[in-house]
Amino acid sequence: MALKIFVLILALSTFTSFGQNISGKVLDNKNNLPIKNVNVYLTKTKEGTTTNKKGEFNLNFKSLAKQTDTITFSIIGYTSKSFALNELKINNNTIHLFEKIEELKEVLLNSYKKLNSKIQFNKLSSLKRGIHSFASSLIEDNIFVIGGDASYIEDTAKKALLEMGSYSESTFDDLLKRLRHNPTWVNYKGDLRMYDIKTDTWTTSDLKFRK
């Protein structure tokens, strides 16, 4: 009698539950290629695994699952699917996923802010002669400008050739004359100039720096 009860219980458990291990494959529905890194898990317990580069998976359950329990397949870029365990058996445990195409809603940008065509500014007092490569420091309401390169460099040869090109009767002697006229000079300032922000004025200190 005990043996008959054991056989009956075994038969019922086989009918109402599924094996502890399920293997299968996940493929792209369009090109039938394997999809790797697909999340495969038992929906109710979240026990799961992922597919390998061949799209294959091997899912082991710690607890018995009924044939009506579902397995979920999900991965970014594809529509997730869930199948009952008995459905997987009908499909030979081969799952096809459809690529998920996202359609973005139209986005309208409206700007009600009026942009100014001009920038308002105040023109400040300038130095009498321009300099570059100088050092400066802001102390309270004064800007101190120390030294600076006031050199003037001119490409005499280039300028002479351009000028000769404007005259069809130019000669080689004309080119030589133009080359002799070279306005280039080198000059380094040793002055200390001070700009007063409040009064918008420049002054030059009696203190001199070595060039």
Side-chain angles (χ1 to χ4, degrees):
M1 184 65 179
L3 180 60
K4 289 183 179 181
I5 294 175
F6 175 77
V7 172
L8 180 60
I9 293 175
L10 181 62
L12 289 174
S13 64
T14 304
F15 179 78
T16 59
S17 64
F18 210 82
Q20 294 289 99
N21 180 278
I22 297 176
S23 297
K25 182 178 290 187
V26 182
L27 305 174
D28 187 298
N29 182 74
K30 187 176 181 179
N31 51 36
N32 216 38
L33 293 175
I35 308 174
K36 66 177 181 178
N37 296 327
V38 178
N39 296 301
V40 184
Y41 57 91
L42 186 62
T43 309
K44 68 176 183 179
T45 63
K46 306 303 181 184
E47 296 176 74
T49 184
T50 57
T51 57
N52 58 23
K53 62 182 180 181
K54 295 181 180 180
E56 300 170 341
F57 66 90
N58 187 16
L59 183 58
N60 295 304
F61 301 124
K62 294 181 180 178
S63 58
L64 290 176
K66 298 179 181 179
Q67 292 190 15
T68 55
D69 289 339
T70 59
I71 299 292
T72 299
F73 300 84
S74 67
I75 186 174
I76 295 176
Y78 288 85
T79 302
S80 299
K81 278 190 174 184
S82 295
F83 296 90
L85 293 175
N86 51 11
E87 291 179 313
L88 288 177
K89 189 175 182 181
I90 296 174
N91 297 322
N92 295 321
N93 291 358
T94 300
I95 303 301
H96 289 83
L97 295 184
F98 290 83
E99 188 176 0
K100 188 176 184 179
I101 301 175
E102 296 285 353
E103 292 186 4
L104 300 179
K105 295 182 180 180
E106 182 179 5
V107 178
L108 297 177
L109 297 178
N110 296 315
S111 177
Y112 301 101
K113 186 176 181 180
K114 185 178 179 181
L115 300 178
N116 296 324
S117 58
K118 297 181 179 179
I119 299 176
Q120 298 296 325
F121 65 93
N122 295 323
K123 185 177 180 179
L124 303 180
S125 177
S126 301
L127 284 171
K128 292 183 178 180
R129 295 181 179 82
I131 57 173
H132 62 88
S133 302
F134 56 86
S136 66
S137 181
L138 173 64
I139 301 176
E140 295 182 350
D141 295 324
N142 293 281
I143 299 175
F144 295 87
V145 177
I146 304 168
D149 190 346
S151 302
Y152 177 80
I153 308 297
E154 184 177 284
D155 191 339
T156 306
K158 182 178 180 180
K159 184 178 180 181
L161 291 172
L162 290 174
E163 290 177 350
M164 287 186 64
S166 303
Y167 303 98
S168 57
E169 296 180 358
S170 296
T171 64
F172 184 70
D173 289 336
D174 294 330
L175 175 61
L176 293 177
K177 290 179 181 179
R178 286 183 170 83
L179 290 175
R180 293 191 191 99
H181 178 68
N182 188 357
T184 297
W185 76 86
V186 177
N187 185 23
Y188 296 98
K189 295 290 185 181
D191 299 329
L192 171 62
R193 300 172 183 81
M194 296 165 289
Y195 174 74
D196 190 318
I197 297 175
K198 290 183 177 180
T199 61
D200 187 27
T201 55
W202 284 94
T203 56
T204 302
S205 173
D206 293 334
L207 180 65
K208 297 292 183 181
F209 288 85
R210 186 166 54 192
K211 297 179 182 180

